[in-house]
Structure formats: C-alpha cells, structure tokens
Amino acid sequence: MAITTTTRSPRPAAPAAERRPRARRASRAAPYGYLAPFFVLFAAFGLFPLLYTAYVSLHRVELQTSQQMDWVGFQNYTRLLEDPFFWNALRNTFTIGVLSTVPQLVMALGLAHLLNYKLRGRTFFRVAMLMPYATSVAAATLVFAQLFGRDYGLLNWALSSVGLNPVDWQADTWASQIGVSAVVTWRWTGYNALIYLAGMQAIPHELYESAAMDGASRWKQFLHVTVPGLRPTIIFTVVVSTIGATQLFGEPLLYEGNAGGGISHQYQTLGLYMYEQGWSFFHLGRAAAVAWVMFLLIVLLALANAAIAARRNRTDR
Amino acid sequence: MPTFRARRTATSLGTAALAAMLLLTACSSGSSGGSADAADGKVTLTVDLFGTFGFKETGLYDEYSKTHPNVTIKQSDTQDEGQYWQALQTKLAGGGGLADIQGLEVGRVASVMQKQADKFVDLKTVGAGAVNDGLVPWKAAAVKSADGKVLAAGTDIGPEAICYRTDLFKAAGLPTDRTELAAKWSSWEGYLALGKEYVAKAQPGNVWTDSAAGMFTAEVGQQKVRYADESGKPVYDSNPAVKSAWADSAKLVADGLSAKLPQWTPEWNKAFTTGKFATLSCPAWMIGYIKGQAGDAFAGKWDIAAGPGKTGNWGGSYLAIPKTSKHQKEAAELISWLTAKEQQVKLFTKQGSFPSSTAAQGEIKALQDPYFNNAPIGQIFSESAGAMPAQVLGTEDGVIGKAFTDALGEVERTGTAPDAAWQHAMDNIKKASGN
C-alpha cells in the first residue's frame, strides 16, 4: 500500500529513470517499508483497541455475560457525568497530580543543578538517582505502604517518638493522597533529574563563565542561565508528567491493595475508577466510557500545554 | 442480507478481540494453566482456591494420590477472596486459564447460578449427582438449578461464636468461664455492655474487638433474609435486621470498643500477636486463621464461647468444575472425595472448617481444641449450626457486604457520622450494581 502513494518525479532527467524504473520506485518506497512495522503494530495494538473501546462504550456489556452487547447509545457517558464518584476521581487525579508533579519537577531541577557541578563520585550519584525508576511499582508501593502503616508504620513511630499524634495515612483524605504522591515523587524525581541534566549539559559553558565574570552568584546563574536554557526540556517533562498523572494507577491500586482507592474513595484516581468499573464490578461498557473520557482529557491537556508553549515562544521573540 | 452478515462478522471479530484482551489480563494474574495430558494415562488435576481450604494442610491430596496413583494434584491459591473472584471472572469470560476445580464462596454462588450456570459442569453428567445429598438442606439447595442441575459440591459452613483472650480478660478482672461469658453476652447489647466494662479496666490502647466490620458481618449473618429477599428483590436498604446490625456497630465505635482495624490486612494480622483486641467474631474457619496468625506462643491464651444469639453463618464454600476442564470425570471424583463425610471430619479436626455434611456434624460433637484451652468446639459450633436459619442468598451479596463494611470503616477511622456513612454505602451499592 505504501508503493501506491509514491508519485513519479517531475524531474526532466528522464533517461536514467527510464532505464531502471523499478529500482527507483523501490528506493522511494523503502522509507515507508521501514516505517510499516511500527504502523502495523500501532494499528493492531493502538488504533484498533482505541476504536473498539469506543464501540464497547456505546453498549451495555457485563464481563460475566460478555457475549451479549446491548446498544445503549451515550447512556454510559451521561451516567458517568451524573456519577459523583467520577467527579471525585477526577478531583483526586488533579490533586494527586499536583501533589506529586510539582515537588517532583522542582526537586528534579535542583538535583540536576547540583549534579551538574564537578562532584566526586558523580557517576555514582547519577546512577543512584535512577534506581527508584528501575524499581517495580509494586515493590516500591508495598514498601511505602509499610512505612505509612497506621499502627506499626515507621513514619507514625517517628511522629510519636517526637511527641506528635500519629496520622492515619490510609483513611484520612489528605494524608492518604500525600502518601500516594510520595511514592510517585520518589519514583520519578531521579528520572526527570537526568533529563534536566542532559538538557543542562547542552547549555554552552561560556554562558556560565561570562555570567560568573559579571559577578552572578550560583543561584543567579541557575535562575538566569539554566532555567531559560532548559525551557524546552521543562515543557517536555511537564507534558509527560501531566499525562503520567492523568493515568496514575499502580501506586493508588497497591497502596492498600484494592480498586476502591480507600474506604471513602479518597484517593481513587480516574485510572482506578475505570479499573473498578471494569474488573471489580464487571461493567465493561462503563469502563470503556471512562477510558474514552480519559483519552479526551489527555488530548485536551496536551493541546493546552502545546498552546501555552507556543504562546511563550511567540512572546519571547 | 449482506449488511446483516457483515455486522455479524464484525461482532464476532469484536468478541474474539475482547476475549483475547481478557485472556491477556487473565494470564497476568499468574495462575496455573490447564492440565497437561500425559501419554501413559496419568492425569494432572489443577485446583484453584482462595483463602485456606486446608486440603493440602490436612494432607488430603497425599492421601488421595495413594489410592489414585495415576492422579497428580496441583493447587494454587489467592489469600484474598475478592481478588480471586476478579481473576476467576476474567478467566471465565476469556474461557482460558481455568483450573479443573475452582472454589466458590457462598456469597458468590447466587451470582454464578444466575449468570454463569452454563460455564460449569452439571455434576450429574459426570457421575457425581449425589455429591450434596448428605448436606444441610440450604447448602445443597443453593447450587441446584431450577431444572435440577447440580453445579457445585459443598465444603464447609461458617457457624459463628466469639473467640476471646483469657489472659487479657483475667488482667481486666473479667470472668473467663465460657458458660458465664455466653450468658453475659447472650445478646449484642450484653456484648457491648461487657465491652465497656473491659475497656474501663484494660490497659490504655487495648480495646474490646478488632473492627465494626467483624461485628456487623456476624450480626447480619444471623438473619434468614439479609440483602435480598426470597424473590431476589434487594432489601438491603430497608431490612430492619441490617439497620439494627448497623446501629449496634455504630454504637460499638461510639463507645470506643473497636480497634479500627480493617480485616484481612497486614495491620490486622499483626494485631493478633498484641493485646490490641480481646474478642473476635469467630466463624468456625477463623480458628485456623487465629492459629496461623497468633502462632504457638498464644496457645492456651485464646478460648471460645457461644456468641450473642448463639447462632449465625459467616462464609463457607463450594467446589465446581468449569466446562473447559479436560478431566471432568477425574475432577468430579476428586471433589466427591474431598467433600465426603470422612474428609469433612478431618478438616474440622485439623483446620476448624465446620462440616456441611450432617453425618460429619454428628461425628465431631465431642471434639475439643487444645489451642483454645480445650474448648468444646464441636459442641459450640454444632449448636450454632443447628440453630442456623436457611439463609437467602442474593446475587450481589458480596458487593453489598463490602460496601457496608467499608462504610463502617469510615465511621471508625475518619469519624464520619453513621448516617452519612450509611448513605455512602447506598451510593456505593448503586455504583456497583448493574443498572
């Protein structure tokens, strides 16, 4: 199919082309050929599920009787918008997103700045920072869940040993959201720091030297040289973290080991809400509707990010 | 006509894709696959269970293999029934990854009978139609379809009592004698009153019982009609028995008698080796759980007495054979043997799983348990089982029970007002139900 899209060159250098038309056509088609595997896989595992999910979301489908699909139109969507638990999940996704993304990126920026100096054992620190990222979500969350235990957790033990009241890190709304965010922050800070570090190393060293000559302190250098130079990298990490936060799933699922997101759904994210509809309550149609709403939400967020970035670029010029 | 055909192809294509996706998910839950056939007539039977059935612990598989040398049994299990149920549903929908024998909890059988009866083997067709003949009538009736199919074999039932810590009772100056205690807590009010007395005298931080959820489940378990009535109509929101169990549990929390521990979590498990709670609502199978969690160091510190109302049922299970099994005859033979009278007696003796077979119940009446100060567990649980009503099982029992116990968790852990929490439970049930 790729071949049909290639057109003949209008160039007048006809003789060569007439001599070996087949080889030329093949060489034209080659890039498409190389791209094809990706698009075939994408169609099978990306596009088809996406469209099929849309189809399922317009039906009433129950896992226990999944052969039977009853057309319900947009009922799954209207029901979703009327469901207070959906709005609760949306709110939680947003608050947990802010609670985890903001400290994570700020800390990553600071860490990257420190690692950019000539330190002894720099490679060690850089590798160490990537360790949380390489740890499985399940393992990390289970360890954190132990730390955050109400009666026998390390954190509450520390709190009570300095005379503070223990906190119920599971049942309390803010405490539990902070708990989940802590796992996310711990996992992704190092990863973002490394991306920032790579961005920083692309900033010409002369800029720092001349800034230093002008008497700029390290803090001033960071503010006026590093941050502006990193702007494209920062936008990239913000976009990626926003998408990650919208899809947040593993950490809240494993925090207490159930899809409800706590006894009052106080840290149930959209991803978890979808999973609960599909795999705890077995309403596949409704889960598919949630999936599509999440997809549209992410598209909107990405567009908003792009618009903001484009606007900033324009005002800069 | 062509459009019709095209649509059908699209639908079946879609169904196949859905099944494939489900299969993928099912595989990730990592259970044993189907059984492999060996050329020499040997058969491997896979058994997939939740919690602790005790077949392996009691050595029943080894015993069976001695008389059936051609059969090898492989068991896999999931501690949490909720997770087990989810995985089972995924596998049933995908039609793959199912074991030859699957366990079913009593709160789920009504759902299976109504929605998935076609996915399990009618035991009559594989020579095990009589498997439930000697069981208490309601246990057998729950898995018999309107047209007479027998879809699962009954294992244990869960008659209720109260387990308590004699050492803590003694330290707080409470009586430790079973009969005396049973008289004091013959009603739930009496149980709460004694709890108040205990908390006033016990060490600070040590309270009466583990959770409001435990008490609620036990109290609701004494009713014939709980969340749905005989016609299948949901009555969870209006049933006075459910409301009164809710009120009692809320009072338990208000009086500061609950340790606020969510059941089946690591925190709860750990508390078995502390003095955090002194009593526990105890269906018979909890005996095995206590021994497992508290361990030998606590032998002789626990005891059992008849509970408020002296009856109730909490839990109990079944074994069923999915139609995908390649060894339905052999599997049927195994489950007939596992649920037979002799094996039920052994399971109660070693594991505390109370027999559903009336003949087995007759044999264990005199049994005592040394771990629990030689408590006459045979007598206590037999009396509880004898007074047990024939419970009406609803299709959504599991989901509704969880919504109520979650809401009680809110009451005790976040200080939510009981009325607001009740409303949360109602909302949650609506969210979970299929309309």
Side-chain angles (χ1 to χ4, degrees):
Chain A
M1 57 167 181
I3 297 171
T4 56
T5 60
T6 55
T7 49
R8 286 199 155 220
S9 162
R11 255 191 318 154
E18 265 159 23
R19 227 179 297 141
R20 291 186 303 158
R22 196 166 287 171
R24 248 193 67 172
R25 199 183 289 173
S27 73
R28 283 280 182 84
Y32 296 98
Y34 290 126
L35 281 173
F38 170 77
F39 281 101
V40 168
L41 287 177
F42 174 74
F45 296 104
L47 197 62
F48 172 71
L50 196 70
L51 296 177
Y52 187 63
T53 306
Y55 175 75
V56 170
S57 76
L58 301 175
H59 293 76
R60 186 189 136 88
V61 191
E62 300 291 305
L63 180 67
Q64 284 144 321
T65 50
S66 59
Q67 308 300 318
Q68 185 190 336
M69 292 175 113
D70 306 322
W71 172 263
V72 292
F74 284 93
Q75 195 197 306
N76 285 331
Y77 290 90
T78 51
R79 195 195 152 99
L80 189 65
L81 299 180
E82 286 162 10
D83 185 357
F85 293 102
F86 167 72
W87 296 104
N88 169 63
L90 189 64
R91 201 163 47 237
N92 289 342
T93 308
F94 179 74
T95 49
I96 294 178
V98 172
L99 280 174
S100 58
T101 310
V102 173
Q104 167 193 328
L105 294 184
V106 170
M107 274 160 51
L109 203 56
L111 279 172
H113 185 64
L114 292 179
L115 283 179
N116 204 17
Y117 290 124
K118 288 199 174 65
L119 288 174
R120 193 168 295 164
R122 200 158 63 159
T123 316
F124 169 77
F125 286 119
R126 288 181 184 175
V127 172
M129 267 195 346
L130 210 58
M131 287 305 286
Y133 176 66
T135 314
S136 92
V137 201
T141 311
L142 290 177
V143 172
F144 270 88
Q146 296 270 318
L147 295 181
F148 284 119
R150 187 193 57 174
D151 291 338
Y152 312 103
L154 191 66
L155 226 69
N156 274 348
W157 173 79
L159 283 179
S160 57
S161 68
V162 294
L164 293 170
N165 279 332
V167 175
D168 190 336
W169 293 102
Q170 277 79 36
D172 184 76
T173 305
W174 283 108
S176 62
Q177 294 200 356
I178 290 171
V180 172
S181 304
V183 190
V184 181
T185 308
W186 177 82
R187 260 194 99 219
W188 291 95
T189 302
Y191 169 80
N192 285 307
L194 280 198
I195 291 185
Y196 286 147
L197 186 60
M200 281 176 191
Q201 290 180 343
I203 299 171
H205 204 67
E206 298 78 45
L207 285 177
Y208 289 99
E209 278 172 7
S210 57
M213 241 179 275
D214 290 343
S217 65
R218 287 203 151 153
W219 172 243
K220 284 253 155 92
Q221 287 178 24
F222 173 73
L223 228 50
H224 297 293
V225 180
T226 313
V227 173
L230 273 185
R231 182 168 294 156
T233 320
I234 292 176
I235 289 171
F236 169 78
T237 55
V238 167
V239 171
V240 170
S241 313
T242 314
I243 293 176
T246 317
Q247 295 181 326
L248 191 65
F249 172 69
E251 289 86 350
L253 174 69
L254 293 167
Y255 192 62
E256 274 186 285
N258 75 63
I263 41 174
S264 348
H265 311 288
Q266 71 274 21
Y267 58 91
Q268 184 175 46
T269 59
L270 277 178
L272 217 50
Y273 175 78
M274 172 176 76
Y275 181 81
E276 190 186 36
Q277 284 294 344
W279 307 108
S280 294
F281 303 148
F282 312 127
H283 306 317
L284 296 184
R286 279 189 231 165
V290 184
W292 256 84
V293 169
M294 278 177 73
F295 173 67
L296 295 176
L297 203 68
I298 291 176
V299 169
L300 270 179
L301 281 171
L303 285 177
N305 266 322
I308 292 169
R311 198 196 213 152
R312 294 220 49 166
N313 280 344
R314 223 176 299 137
T315 47
D316 282 354
R317 259 175 229 153
Chain B
M1 217 41 203
T3 43
F4 172 68
R5 187 172 301 159
R7 253 187 73 176
R8 263 192 48 176
T9 328
T11 317
S12 57
L13 202 83
T15 315
L18 189 67
M21 279 191 278
L22 297 175
L23 254 174
L24 279 174
T25 351
C27 293
S28 65
S29 63
S31 78
S32 59
S35 36
D37 252 319
D40 50 0
K42 290 205 169 193
V43 172
T44 303
L45 291 176
T46 52
V47 184
D48 191 22
L49 306 172
F50 54 88
T52 314
F53 274 62
F55 298 147
K56 205 197 265 170
E57 292 80 353
T58 317
L60 293 183
Y61 293 148
D62 293 340
E63 207 177 307
Y64 189 78
S65 291
K66 265 181 211 144
T67 50
H68 298 74
N70 61 327
V71 176
T72 319
I73 302 165
K74 279 191 187 153
Q75 183 190 307
S76 57
D77 55 12
T78 314
Q79 254 318 305
D80 178 23
E81 196 275 334
Q83 285 171 15
Y84 167 83
W85 173 247
Q86 281 184 29
L88 176 63
Q89 290 308 314
T90 336
K91 290 179 213 166
L92 282 173
L98 290 157
D100 295 308
I101 296 170
Q102 293 279 353
L104 294 173
E105 213 261 350
V106 68
R108 311 289 189 186
V109 289
S111 167
V112 168
M113 293 303 290
Q114 195 184 315
K115 298 176 185 164
Q116 296 170 318
D118 58 328
K119 305 215 163 161
F120 290 96
V121 174
D122 176 9
L123 297 180
K124 273 184 182 165
T125 63
V126 284
V131 70
N132 291 336
D133 281 1
L135 304 192
V136 286
W138 66 266
K139 183 85 177 170
V143 289
K144 192 163 188 171
S145 70
D147 52 351
K149 284 182 187 146
V150 179
L151 292 170
T155 58
D156 62 324
I157 55 177
E160 297 170 3
I162 297 279
C163 297
Y164 62 100
R165 287 271 298 273
T166 48
D167 57 332
L168 296 175
F169 272 42
K170 218 175 273 166
L174 256 57
T176 56
D177 179 65
R178 285 170 213 120
T179 358
E180 204 180 334
L181 286 170
K184 272 186 187 279
W185 60 45
S186 63
S187 69
W188 290 103
E189 291 89 71
Y191 177 72
L192 292 175
L194 197 62
K196 270 178 133 167
E197 210 178 300
Y198 172 80
V199 170
K201 294 178 192 161
Q203 278 181 18
N206 283 1
V207 293
W208 186 232
T209 190
D210 64 323
S211 64
M215 179 177 158
F216 177 82
T217 313
E219 194 174 337
V220 172
Q222 300 180 326
Q223 300 301 320
K224 179 174 162 59
V225 172
R226 297 174 302 163
Y227 305 134
D229 68 10
E230 286 91 340
S231 65
K233 194 172 126 273
V235 293
Y236 60 86
D237 51 349
S238 57
N239 188 349
V242 174
K243 284 196 170 157
S244 107
W246 176 272
D248 286 344
S249 311
K251 189 163 184 300
L252 177 88
V253 179
D255 290 348
L257 306 184
S258 164
K260 309 175 181 180
L261 289 158
Q263 295 195 314
W264 321 113
T265 61
E267 300 268 300
W268 187 62
N269 289 344
K270 265 181 222 159
F272 278 91
T273 50
T274 67
K276 194 116 192 176
F277 56 82
T279 67
L280 183 66
S281 288
C282 234
W285 43 262
M286 195 71 94
I287 292 178
Y289 199 84
I290 292 176
K291 287 179 188 167
Q293 291 302 331
D296 290 343
F298 282 78
K301 293 184 178 169
W302 283 92
D303 208 324
I304 302 175
K310 293 196 166 52
T311 186
N313 183 60
W314 177 351
S317 304
Y318 291 89
L319 296 174
I321 306 171
K323 280 200 176 143
T324 52
S325 166
K326 288 195 184 109
H327 307 291
Q328 299 180 358
K329 267 224 142 59
E330 291 84 352
E333 208 179 317
L334 175 59
I335 63 174
S336 310
W337 186 81
L338 284 174
T339 56
K341 184 191 90 179
E342 294 75 22
Q343 280 61 253
Q344 291 209 1
V345 169
K346 280 180 205 153
L347 281 164
F348 182 66
T349 314
K350 289 205 179 160
Q351 211 55 36
S353 305
F354 194 81
S356 57
S357 141
T358 45
Q361 287 176 4
E363 284 188 21
I364 49 88
K365 284 209 160 76
L367 196 77
Q368 300 187 336
D369 193 330
Y371 188 94
F372 290 87
N373 280 331
N374 289 318
I377 54 168
Q379 186 209 331
I380 291 173
F381 287 115
S382 293
E383 280 171 12
S384 173
M388 195 186 281
Q391 236 156 36
V392 179
L393 303 174
T395 52
E396 307 271 1
D397 281 0
V399 173
I400 296 171
K402 184 173 184 305
F404 277 123
T405 52
D406 273 0
L408 283 169
E410 283 190 277
V411 174
E412 56 188 7
R413 296 179 67 193
T414 64
T416 310
D419 288 346
W422 172 272
Q423 193 51 49
H424 291 177
M426 297 298 122
D427 292 347
N428 276 317
I429 294 166
K430 285 203 190 78
K431 176 170 78 150
S433 70
N435 311 304

Short mmCIF file of all heavy atoms in Angstrom, two decimals, chain B residues 305-336:
data_model
loop_
_atom_site.label_atom_id
_atom_site.label_comp_id
_atom_site.label_asym_id
_atom_site.label_seq_id
_atom_site.Cartn_x
_atom_site.Cartn_y
_atom_site.Cartn_z
N ALA B 305 -16.39 -19.09 73.16
CA ALA B 305 -17.68 -19.24 73.82
C ALA B 305 -18.79 -18.98 72.82
O ALA B 305 -18.57 -18.29 71.82
CB ALA B 305 -17.80 -18.27 74.99
N ALA B 306 -19.97 -19.52 73.09
CA ALA B 306 -21.12 -19.24 72.23
C ALA B 306 -21.35 -17.74 72.19
O ALA B 306 -21.19 -17.06 73.21
CB ALA B 306 -22.35 -19.96 72.76
N GLY B 307 -21.70 -17.21 71.03
CA GLY B 307 -21.83 -15.76 70.87
C GLY B 307 -23.24 -15.28 71.09
O GLY B 307 -24.14 -16.07 71.39
N PRO B 308 -23.46 -13.97 70.95
CA PRO B 308 -24.80 -13.41 71.06
C PRO B 308 -25.76 -14.12 70.10
O PRO B 308 -25.42 -14.31 68.94
CB PRO B 308 -24.61 -11.96 70.65
CG PRO B 308 -23.17 -11.68 70.92
CD PRO B 308 -22.45 -12.96 70.67
N GLY B 309 -26.91 -14.51 70.62
CA GLY B 309 -27.88 -15.18 69.77
C GLY B 309 -27.55 -16.65 69.51
O GLY B 309 -28.35 -17.39 68.98
N LYS B 310 -26.33 -17.06 69.87
CA LYS B 310 -25.88 -18.47 69.77
C LYS B 310 -26.00 -19.07 68.38
O LYS B 310 -26.11 -20.28 68.22
CB LYS B 310 -26.67 -19.33 70.77
CG LYS B 310 -26.37 -19.01 72.22
CD LYS B 310 -26.88 -20.13 73.12
CE LYS B 310 -26.33 -20.05 74.52
NZ LYS B 310 -26.49 -18.73 75.17
N THR B 311 -26.01 -18.25 67.34
CA THR B 311 -26.08 -18.84 66.01
C THR B 311 -25.52 -17.86 64.97
O THR B 311 -24.91 -16.86 65.32
CB THR B 311 -27.52 -19.24 65.63
OG1 THR B 311 -27.50 -19.93 64.39
CG2 THR B 311 -28.41 -18.01 65.51
N GLY B 312 -25.76 -18.14 63.69
CA GLY B 312 -25.29 -17.27 62.61
C GLY B 312 -24.42 -18.05 61.65
O GLY B 312 -23.83 -19.07 62.01
N ASN B 313 -24.35 -17.57 60.40
CA ASN B 313 -23.44 -18.17 59.43
C ASN B 313 -22.64 -17.08 58.73
O ASN B 313 -23.17 -16.08 58.29
CB ASN B 313 -24.20 -18.96 58.37
CG ASN B 313 -23.25 -19.64 57.39
OD1 ASN B 313 -22.43 -20.44 57.80
ND2 ASN B 313 -23.33 -19.27 56.12
N TRP B 314 -21.33 -17.30 58.68
CA TRP B 314 -20.43 -16.35 58.01
C TRP B 314 -19.52 -17.19 57.11
O TRP B 314 -18.65 -17.88 57.59
CB TRP B 314 -19.66 -15.56 59.06
CG TRP B 314 -18.65 -14.59 58.51
CD1 TRP B 314 -18.23 -14.45 57.23
CD2 TRP B 314 -17.93 -13.62 59.28
NE1 TRP B 314 -17.30 -13.45 57.13
CE2 TRP B 314 -17.09 -12.92 58.38
CE3 TRP B 314 -17.89 -13.26 60.62
CZ2 TRP B 314 -16.24 -11.90 58.79
CZ3 TRP B 314 -17.05 -12.25 61.04
CH2 TRP B 314 -16.24 -11.56 60.12
N GLY B 315 -19.78 -17.12 55.83
CA GLY B 315 -18.89 -17.78 54.88
C GLY B 315 -19.20 -19.25 54.69
O GLY B 315 -20.28 -19.75 55.02
N GLY B 316 -18.24 -19.95 54.14
CA GLY B 316 -18.42 -21.33 53.72
C GLY B 316 -18.24 -21.39 52.21
O GLY B 316 -18.37 -20.37 51.53
N SER B 317 -17.93 -22.56 51.68
CA SER B 317 -17.51 -22.61 50.28
C SER B 317 -18.07 -23.79 49.51
O SER B 317 -18.72 -24.67 50.06
CB SER B 317 -15.99 -22.65 50.19
OG SER B 317 -15.46 -21.56 50.88
N TYR B 318 -17.75 -23.77 48.23
CA TYR B 318 -18.13 -24.83 47.29
C TYR B 318 -16.96 -25.12 46.36
O TYR B 318 -16.05 -24.29 46.21
CB TYR B 318 -19.31 -24.37 46.44
CG TYR B 318 -20.61 -24.22 47.19
CD1 TYR B 318 -20.94 -23.02 47.79
CD2 TYR B 318 -21.50 -25.27 47.29
CE1 TYR B 318 -22.14 -22.86 48.48
CE2 TYR B 318 -22.70 -25.13 47.97
CZ TYR B 318 -23.02 -23.92 48.56
OH TYR B 318 -24.20 -23.79 49.23
N LEU B 319 -17.02 -26.28 45.71
CA LEU B 319 -16.05 -26.60 44.65
C LEU B 319 -16.83 -26.88 43.37
O LEU B 319 -17.85 -27.58 43.40
CB LEU B 319 -15.25 -27.85 45.03
CG LEU B 319 -14.35 -27.75 46.26
CD1 LEU B 319 -13.74 -29.11 46.58
CD2 LEU B 319 -13.25 -26.72 46.05
N ALA B 320 -16.35 -26.32 42.26
CA ALA B 320 -17.06 -26.52 40.99
C ALA B 320 -16.06 -26.84 39.88
O ALA B 320 -14.87 -26.57 40.01
CB ALA B 320 -17.85 -25.26 40.64
N ILE B 321 -16.57 -27.42 38.80
CA ILE B 321 -15.71 -27.81 37.66
C ILE B 321 -16.11 -26.99 36.44
O ILE B 321 -17.23 -27.13 35.94
CB ILE B 321 -15.88 -29.31 37.34
CG1 ILE B 321 -15.64 -30.14 38.60
CG2 ILE B 321 -14.92 -29.73 36.23
CD1 ILE B 321 -15.99 -31.60 38.43
N PRO B 322 -15.23 -26.13 35.94
CA PRO B 322 -15.54 -25.37 34.73
C PRO B 322 -15.65 -26.30 33.53
O PRO B 322 -14.98 -27.34 33.49
CB PRO B 322 -14.34 -24.44 34.56
CG PRO B 322 -13.60 -24.48 35.84
CD PRO B 322 -13.91 -25.79 36.48
N LYS B 323 -16.48 -25.92 32.56
CA LYS B 323 -16.66 -26.78 31.39
C LYS B 323 -15.40 -26.92 30.55
O LYS B 323 -15.30 -27.80 29.72
CB LYS B 323 -17.80 -26.23 30.52
CG LYS B 323 -19.14 -26.62 31.09
CD LYS B 323 -20.24 -26.55 30.07
CE LYS B 323 -21.54 -27.05 30.67
NZ LYS B 323 -22.70 -26.30 30.21
N THR B 324 -14.43 -26.00 30.75
CA THR B 324 -13.19 -26.07 29.97
C THR B 324 -12.29 -27.22 30.42
O THR B 324 -11.31 -27.53 29.76
CB THR B 324 -12.40 -24.76 30.11
OG1 THR B 324 -12.27 -24.47 31.50
CG2 THR B 324 -13.09 -23.62 29.39
N SER B 325 -12.60 -27.81 31.57
CA SER B 325 -11.73 -28.86 32.10
C SER B 325 -11.69 -30.07 31.16
O SER B 325 -12.71 -30.50 30.64
CB SER B 325 -12.23 -29.31 33.47
OG SER B 325 -11.60 -30.52 33.83
N LYS B 326 -10.47 -30.62 30.99
CA LYS B 326 -10.33 -31.77 30.11
C LYS B 326 -10.47 -33.07 30.88
O LYS B 326 -10.45 -34.15 30.31
CB LYS B 326 -8.95 -31.74 29.45
CG LYS B 326 -8.84 -30.65 28.41
CD LYS B 326 -7.62 -30.87 27.53
CE LYS B 326 -7.44 -29.74 26.55
NZ LYS B 326 -6.28 -28.90 26.86
N HIS B 327 -10.55 -32.96 32.20
CA HIS B 327 -10.64 -34.17 33.02
C HIS B 327 -11.82 -34.07 33.96
O HIS B 327 -11.68 -34.19 35.17
CB HIS B 327 -9.35 -34.35 33.83
CG HIS B 327 -8.12 -34.32 33.00
ND1 HIS B 327 -7.82 -35.32 32.11
CD2 HIS B 327 -7.13 -33.41 32.89
CE1 HIS B 327 -6.68 -35.03 31.50
NE2 HIS B 327 -6.25 -33.88 31.95
N GLN B 328 -13.00 -33.86 33.39
CA GLN B 328 -14.17 -33.60 34.22
C GLN B 328 -14.51 -34.80 35.11
O GLN B 328 -14.87 -34.63 36.27
CB GLN B 328 -15.35 -33.24 33.33
CG GLN B 328 -15.06 -31.98 32.52
CD GLN B 328 -16.20 -31.59 31.62
OE1 GLN B 328 -17.20 -32.25 31.53
NE2 GLN B 328 -16.03 -30.47 30.93
N LYS B 329 -14.37 -36.00 34.58
CA LYS B 329 -14.70 -37.21 35.36
C LYS B 329 -13.77 -37.34 36.56
O LYS B 329 -14.22 -37.55 37.68
CB LYS B 329 -14.55 -38.45 34.46
CG LYS B 329 -15.83 -38.86 33.80
CD LYS B 329 -16.01 -40.40 33.88
CE LYS B 329 -17.45 -40.77 34.12
NZ LYS B 329 -18.34 -40.27 33.06
N GLU B 330 -12.45 -37.19 36.29
CA GLU B 330 -11.48 -37.33 37.37
C GLU B 330 -11.67 -36.23 38.41
O GLU B 330 -11.57 -36.46 39.61
CB GLU B 330 -10.05 -37.27 36.82
CG GLU B 330 -9.65 -38.47 35.98
CD GLU B 330 -10.09 -38.37 34.52
OE1 GLU B 330 -10.85 -37.43 34.20
OE2 GLU B 330 -9.68 -39.22 33.72
N ALA B 331 -11.95 -35.00 37.91
CA ALA B 331 -12.15 -33.87 38.82
C ALA B 331 -13.39 -34.11 39.69
O ALA B 331 -13.38 -33.84 40.90
CB ALA B 331 -12.31 -32.57 38.03
N ALA B 332 -14.45 -34.64 39.07
CA ALA B 332 -15.66 -34.92 39.83
C ALA B 332 -15.41 -35.95 40.91
O ALA B 332 -15.89 -35.84 42.04
CB ALA B 332 -16.76 -35.39 38.88
N GLU B 333 -14.60 -36.95 40.56
CA GLU B 333 -14.27 -37.98 41.54
C GLU B 333 -13.52 -37.37 42.72
O GLU B 333 -13.79 -37.69 43.88
CB GLU B 333 -13.40 -39.04 40.85
CG GLU B 333 -13.52 -40.41 41.43
CD GLU B 333 -12.65 -41.40 40.67
OE1 GLU B 333 -12.64 -41.35 39.41
OE2 GLU B 333 -11.96 -42.19 41.33
N LEU B 334 -12.60 -36.46 42.40
CA LEU B 334 -11.81 -35.83 43.46
C LEU B 334 -12.70 -34.96 44.37
O LEU B 334 -12.61 -35.04 45.59
CB LEU B 334 -10.68 -34.99 42.86
CG LEU B 334 -9.85 -34.18 43.86
CD1 LEU B 334 -9.20 -35.07 44.90
CD2 LEU B 334 -8.77 -33.36 43.15
N ILE B 335 -13.57 -34.15 43.78
CA ILE B 335 -14.36 -33.29 44.66
C ILE B 335 -15.38 -34.09 45.46
O ILE B 335 -15.69 -33.74 46.59
CB ILE B 335 -15.03 -32.08 43.94
CG1 ILE B 335 -16.05 -32.51 42.91
CG2 ILE B 335 -14.02 -31.15 43.33
CD1 ILE B 335 -16.79 -31.32 42.32
N SER B 336 -15.86 -35.20 44.90
CA SER B 336 -16.76 -36.04 45.70
C SER B 336 -16.02 -36.57 46.93
O SER B 336 -16.57 -36.61 48.02
CB SER B 336 -17.25 -37.26 44.91
OG SER B 336 -17.73 -36.87 43.68
#
